[in-house]
Amino acid sequence: MIENINWYPGHMKKTREMIQENLKMIDLVIEVIDARIPISSRNPIINDIIGGKPRVILLNKMDLADGRENDKWAALYKSEGHYVVPMNCMTGAGLSNLLSLLGKIQEKRNETLGRKRNLRMMIVGVPNVGKSSLINRMIGKKSAKTGDRPGVTRGKQWLTLENGMQLLDTPGILWPKFEDPSVGLNLAFCGSIRDETMDLATLALELIKVLQERYPQLLKERYKLEELGEEGLDTMETIALKRGFILPGKRIDYERTARTVLDEFRSGLIGTITLERCE
């Protein structure tokens, strides 16, 4: 069942231990989250481990999210005492703002300590949220493996930036159980949980239900629908008919329809969408 999404491989336990072991050497934590799901993509385990350590919350994939919601979430996290930088780690948009902020943090820290030392940072986040793409942008070359599949990065990597700052990359980490079923769904919608572990047709149907409620116009425009169905399944079947996803015997190809909807949501083709709104 989709409601019981539960994915916590052994390497995630090791990642948690790695973060705990290295935290004492770190001056600053960069927490990468998905701007489309600013709550669901924040791992409560990371929050517990890091505690009061200074933190930059990087709202990645800002271009895929609703711009008005990006501003609201940034304001909220700033009010909680965090640094916040909206960014697109794939294109590098927002990188100059991040590097400028890190320079100011290092300068302020050195003034407080009364000596110069390059900033040591740790990057954390859930799988497939953009950590490796961020690192590639920060160090100016491709040294960290990247991929659109969660769990590509394994093991600890210390990297040095051109300005001398040091960066510790950690693999993506989820938590043992999602107390709120919507959290697991949101992570699955955005690709932070492997598609192979769930029924894609059911997952896409759940996404269509959410979009039908919150972004009906975008759904109609993308799939050229005059009206949405009374139920999510009706809309899904209409999308299949519009796209010609029909199997022999005039049966709906739910699998192909599901992959199309999920892929087009994840790539921003349906529109700029934020699934968790800042109330």
Side-chain angles (χ1 to χ4, degrees), residues 199-270:
D199 178 359
L200 286 191
T202 305
L203 181 64
L205 175 58
E206 293 299 322
L207 176 59
I208 288 170
K209 289 177 182 178
V210 173
L211 297 181
Q212 186 159 317
E213 178 185 348
R214 301 181 189 174
Y215 291 92
Q217 193 57 35
L218 291 181
L219 205 55
K220 286 196 283 189
E221 289 173 1
R222 178 60 189 170
Y223 298 105
K224 298 179 172 56
L225 308 177
E226 292 184 9
E227 296 295 334
L228 299 176
E230 288 189 16
E231 303 290 337
L233 183 59
D234 299 326
T235 300
M236 187 175 187
E237 291 178 345
T238 304
I239 291 172
L241 292 171
K242 283 282 187 178
R243 289 291 178 93
F245 298 157
I246 308 299
L247 295 169
K250 297 184 178 180
R251 293 176 295 121
I252 299 289
D253 190 339
Y254 292 103
E255 186 74 15
R256 189 176 176 191
T257 306
R259 289 193 176 280
T260 296
V261 172
L262 288 168
D263 288 346
E264 294 188 354
F265 163 72
R266 291 168 182 171
S267 62
L269 290 175
I270 296 177

Side-chain angles (χ1 to χ4, degrees), residues 51-64:
K53 186 75 71 170
R55 190 182 326 189
V56 173
I57 293 181
L58 194 141
L59 280 168
N60 189 30
K61 307 186 182 182
M62 64 175 187
D63 57 308
L64 299 178

Side-chain angles (χ1 to χ4, degrees), residues 117-256:
R117 181 171 70 74
N118 290 321
L119 203 63
R120 291 176 183 160
M121 302 168 287
M122 176 188 288
I123 293 186
V124 299
V126 301
N128 205 34
V129 79
K131 298 183 302 300
S132 295
S133 296
L134 170 63
I135 290 168
N136 290 337
R137 287 287 169 184
M138 291 178 73
I139 65 175
K141 59 184 178 181
K142 287 205 170 186
S143 72
K145 293 180 180 178
T146 60
D148 60 2
R149 291 165 59 87
V152 169
T153 306
R154 298 290 176 90
K156 180 172 68 175
Q157 298 184 75
W158 274 104
L159 302 163
T160 303
L161 278 60
E162 289 182 5
N163 59 15
M165 293 181 184
Q166 291 183 299
L167 195 61
L168 176 62
D169 180 28
T170 60
I173 177 175
L174 289 175
W175 52 109
K177 185 173 177 58
F178 305 125
E179 299 299 332
D180 182 351
S182 67
V183 170
L185 278 173
N186 286 334
L187 288 166
F189 292 154
C190 294
S192 286
I193 298 174
R194 291 183 186 277
D195 286 342
E196 295 88 342
T197 65
M198 63 197 71
D199 178 359
L200 286 191
T202 305
L203 181 64
L205 175 58
E206 293 299 322
L207 176 59
I208 288 170
K209 289 177 182 178
V210 173
L211 297 181
Q212 186 159 317
E213 178 185 348
R214 301 181 189 174
Y215 291 92
Q217 193 57 35
L218 291 181
L219 205 55
K220 286 196 283 189
E221 289 173 1
R222 178 60 189 170
Y223 298 105
K224 298 179 172 56
L225 308 177
E226 292 184 9
E227 296 295 334
L228 299 176
E230 288 189 16
E231 303 290 337
L233 183 59
D234 299 326
T235 300
M236 187 175 187
E237 291 178 345
T238 304
I239 291 172
L241 292 171
K242 283 282 187 178
R243 289 291 178 93
F245 298 157
I246 308 299
L247 295 169
K250 297 184 178 180
R251 293 176 295 121
I252 299 289
D253 190 339
Y254 292 103
E255 186 74 15
R256 189 176 176 191

Side-chain angles (χ1 to χ4, degrees), residues 23 45 54 67 100 146 205:
L23 197 60
I45 289 177
S100 175
T146 60
L205 175 58

Side-chain angles (χ1 to χ4, degrees), residues 77-110:
Y77 291 137
K78 285 177 182 176
S79 73
E80 294 175 352
H82 302 303
Y83 302 103
V84 182
V85 179
M87 190 168 167
N88 178 342
C89 293
M90 291 296 291
T91 66
L95 178 63
S96 59
N97 293 335
L98 174 63
L99 295 177
S100 175
L101 172 62
L102 295 177
K104 291 175 183 176
I105 293 173
Q106 176 172 279
E107 186 177 336
K108 183 178 179 181
R109 181 187 168 282
N110 287 345

